[in-house]
Amino acid sequence: MPIDTDVDTFAAMRPLPASVTHLVVGAGFAGLGTAIRLDRAGETDFAVIEKDAGVGGTWRANTYPGAACDVPSQLYSFSFAPNPDWSRSFSPQPEIDAYLQRVARESGVLDRFWFDTTMEEARYDAEAQRWVVRTSRGEVTATTLVTGTGGLSEPRLPDIDGIEDFAGEVFHSARWNHDVDLTGKRVAVIGTGASSIQIVPEVAKVVGHLDVYQRTAPWVIPRSDRRYTRLERLLLRRVPAVRRVYRTATYWGRESYVPAFTRLPRLAAPARRAALLNIARGIPDPALRARVTPDYTIGCKRILISNTYYPALARDHVDLVTDPIARVTADAVVTADGVERPVDVLVVATGFHATEQPIAERVRGRDGRSLAQVWADGGMAAYKGTTVHGFPNLFQLVGANTTLGHSSMVFMIESQIAYVLGAIATMRANRYAAVEPRRDAQDAWNRDLQRRLRRTVWSTGGCASWYLDAHGRNTVVWPRHTFTFRSLLSRFDVDAYEVEAARTDERIT
Ligand code: NAP
């Protein structure tokens, strides 16, 4: 029976096995990629659990109007599963979702996926040398635990006085309520980040009135997006070498941006000029232009791309509000200057919990402490962004300091998956039941990262961003080239690990 990734009664009813060798949490790019690579490496005894009803992760969750990728299409696919079907140079969300569905279907691994299954708690049992994972579908134990739960999966709701008493519709950008018809309504969008600037132009087309609440102006450069020509599509589909040339050229083009973020901010001058020109082209009113012009160094927050955001703000029925929000009433947003703006629908585009990930509360290591407890003082930290001292056989994809502002997370994820496979192969070859990064290795890795991060635009650019945690530490961004990350993770460096032999024959060996 073919397994549809969305709705399949048979799949929905299958019991979760009580024990597997590898448990993967999440079925986005990270979890799906891990499953496929495990399978191809002959590590077929795994289960993937996913809280949602199908594969896709963030690309399943974010269905807001205008959702599209800011990374060029040619880089936004697995290296082992090229997509000849992209229609444009920057893909819209439905195409990425369809790509992931297709790869999942064709890879032959979906029989080991359990959807609508939430990881409630994972505890490392040092005696049994196994992870004991409580899920919404029962308990499962595993030798390795691979988390692919995404850096940006838990919506951050704004702490605004009275918002819970709002009588109209309110929803987060990543939980778009498609049942709400916005036609002719008074709508407010809170936030002006990557999600908002895609939402605003689309919503502005249908609403009666739109208020956009900006706390900090983003830098927005033009989006060099276009439809592929018929010839290009034909070549991309039929001639793999053409696909490789596009991908390689895009990859190196993106890597060339890195020094502007990390060492030489003046290299970002052309981007700054392009952003200012974007404002000048999109907004005729000098007063509005001034209000959307950022006062911090470009690159400090993620650089956004849009050709339609500024023209949307300039429309007569759209207002940009820069006075801070004081409170929300049953039917209005009130700003600090006392102005009350009536609203029917409130769209909260206020981002995600990136530095305090909810999964950290749920994963407990060998001494019973959770990742959140271990990270409470120093902030999120890992070895090579993937493993954590005190948490044997835990592999976190998109872990601490692996996020990019300039290129494709799929590249980082694949680098990490290769590292996980290397760890598993090492365990098998040496009959290890557990590998755990040594504290000194992890500390040295993070000291080096933090030293590098201090001189980057993310630290010196004069802005607050979701890259920084409550202590002002950047625990999110990878501050070097992506090929350096890949090279550093290309071999499982067992000498940086404490290892434990298997106590019984039932382990990974
Ligand atoms: P975000 O970049 O964190 O933006 C959140 C916005 O909400 C910011 O403008 C923030 O203002 C504002 N905000 C937060 N709390 C607020 C409050 N209490 N009152 C008023 N404003 C508030 O979130 P996002 O737009 O969802 O994007 C997150 C990340 O997801 C992106 O950086 C990107 O990595 C990824 N993403 C990618 C794409 C894409 O590829 N196209 C699209 C969407 C998202 P401040 O700036 O003042 O904090």
Side-chain angles (χ1 to χ4, degrees), residues 9 34 42 102 108 116 199-200 251 305 317 320 366 434 438 450:
T9 4
T34 303
R102 177 177 67 71
D116 296 314
I199 292 167
V200 164
Y251 175 79
I305 57 173
H317 69 304
L320 180 79
R366 62 161 68 249
R438 289 199 329 263
Q450 291 304 323

Side-chain angles (χ1 to χ4, degrees), residues 167-183:
E169 294 289 344
V170 52
F171 47 86
H172 188 272
S173 53
R175 301 281 182 274
W176 196 268
N177 185 346
H178 291 276
D179 294 337
V180 177
D181 180 7
L182 299 181
T183 313

Side-chain angles (χ1 to χ4, degrees), residues 64 68 70 152 191-195 198 215-216 301-302 349-351 466:
Y64 58 75
D70 282 354
L152 300 168
T192 52
S195 304
Q198 294 186 331
R215 193 164 67 178
T216 315
K301 283 175 186 286
R302 189 181 170 100
T350 46
W466 59 263

Side-chain angles (χ1 to χ4, degrees), residues 206-352:
V206 297
V207 298
H209 183 86
L210 177 62
D211 289 321
V212 179
Y213 289 86
Q214 169 187 287
R215 193 164 67 178
T216 315
W219 282 104
V220 186
I221 60 174
R223 186 178 180 88
S224 55
D225 188 17
R226 62 181 181 84
R227 273 196 86 75
Y228 286 136
T229 62
R230 281 174 63 172
L231 177 64
E232 270 176 311
R233 291 189 68 174
L234 187 75
L235 291 172
L236 286 167
R237 169 166 281 286
R238 296 277 168 79
V239 190
V242 171
R243 232 167 27 229
R244 281 198 293 276
V245 168
Y246 267 60
R247 189 173 169 104
T248 308
T250 312
Y251 175 79
W252 289 106
R254 291 271 150 172
E255 286 308 298
S256 72
Y257 300 165
V258 171
F261 291 103
T262 57
R263 289 195 306 277
L264 301 164
R266 67 177 183 279
L267 293 181
R272 187 173 188 280
R273 277 197 298 277
L276 293 174
L277 200 62
N278 208 18
I279 294 173
R281 272 206 208 108
I283 299 179
D285 172 19
L288 183 56
R289 281 183 190 171
R291 287 160 70 218
V292 299
T293 304
D295 59 1
Y296 55 88
T297 311
I298 189 166
C300 183
K301 283 175 186 286
R302 189 181 170 100
I303 299 175
L304 309 183
I305 57 173
S306 176
N307 301 332
T308 51
Y309 176 62
Y310 291 130
L313 289 184
R315 293 180 68 169
D316 288 342
H317 69 304
V318 178
D319 284 334
L320 180 79
V321 184
T322 49
D323 282 301
I325 299 173
R327 62 181 197 282
V328 171
T329 67
D331 58 1
V333 177
V334 185
T335 39
D337 56 359
V339 177
E340 188 167 329
R341 293 178 178 82
V343 58
D344 305 316
V345 180
L346 202 49
V347 175
V348 176
T350 46
F352 300 87

Side-chain angles (χ1 to χ4, degrees), residues 70-118:
D70 282 354
V71 173
S73 310
Q74 293 304 325
L75 270 189
Y76 217 75
S77 59
F78 291 119
S79 59
F80 53 81
N83 184 14
D85 296 327
W86 300 128
S87 66
R88 320 182 56 86
S89 51
F90 287 88
S91 314
Q93 174 269 338
E95 282 191 28
I96 303 174
D97 190 33
Y99 163 75
L100 288 168
Q101 303 281 338
R102 177 177 67 71
V103 171
R105 267 195 315 274
E106 292 175 358
S107 62
V109 292
L110 280 174
D111 56 340
R112 283 152 285 172
F113 279 55
W114 279 264
F115 297 116
D116 296 314
T117 306
T118 305

Side-chain angles (χ1 to χ4, degrees), residues 343-416:
V343 58
D344 305 316
V345 180
L346 202 49
V347 175
V348 176
T350 46
F352 300 87
H353 289 278
T355 54
E356 345 77 53
Q357 308 230 341
I359 191 174
E361 309 270 357
R362 302 193 202 146
V363 177
R364 295 186 178 276
R366 62 161 68 249
D367 68 358
R369 288 194 306 157
S370 67
L371 283 167
Q373 286 169 324
V374 171
W375 289 340
D377 294 330
M380 206 160 60
Y383 179 63
K384 299 200 167 177
T386 311
T387 53
V388 184
H389 178 72
F391 296 77
N393 301 354
L394 170 68
F395 300 94
Q396 289 201 293
L397 303 184
V398 194
N401 291 107
T402 57
T403 295
L404 305 175
H406 73 286
S407 190
S408 172
M409 282 309 295
V410 184
F411 186 91
M412 299 298 273
I413 288 168
E414 283 199 51
S415 308
Q416 290 190 282

Side-chain angles (χ1 to χ4, degrees), residues 2-80:
I3 296 187
D4 173 28
T5 69
D6 272 325
V7 189
D8 186 285
T9 4
F10 168 69
M13 283 162 45
R14 276 175 311 150
L16 189 64
S19 156
V20 288
T21 306
H22 312 291
L23 182 69
V24 181
V25 186
F29 263 106
L32 176 62
T34 303
I36 295 171
R37 292 291 312 277
L38 281 172
D39 195 58
R40 291 188 183 176
E43 293 287 341
T44 53
D45 182 32
F46 62 82
V48 180
I49 58 171
E50 163 59 55
K51 66 177 169 36
D52 287 338
V55 299
T58 195
W59 293 105
R60 180 185 172 85
N62 284 274
T63 59
Y64 58 75
C69 192
D70 282 354
V71 173
S73 310
Q74 293 304 325
L75 270 189
Y76 217 75
S77 59
F78 291 119
S79 59
F80 53 81

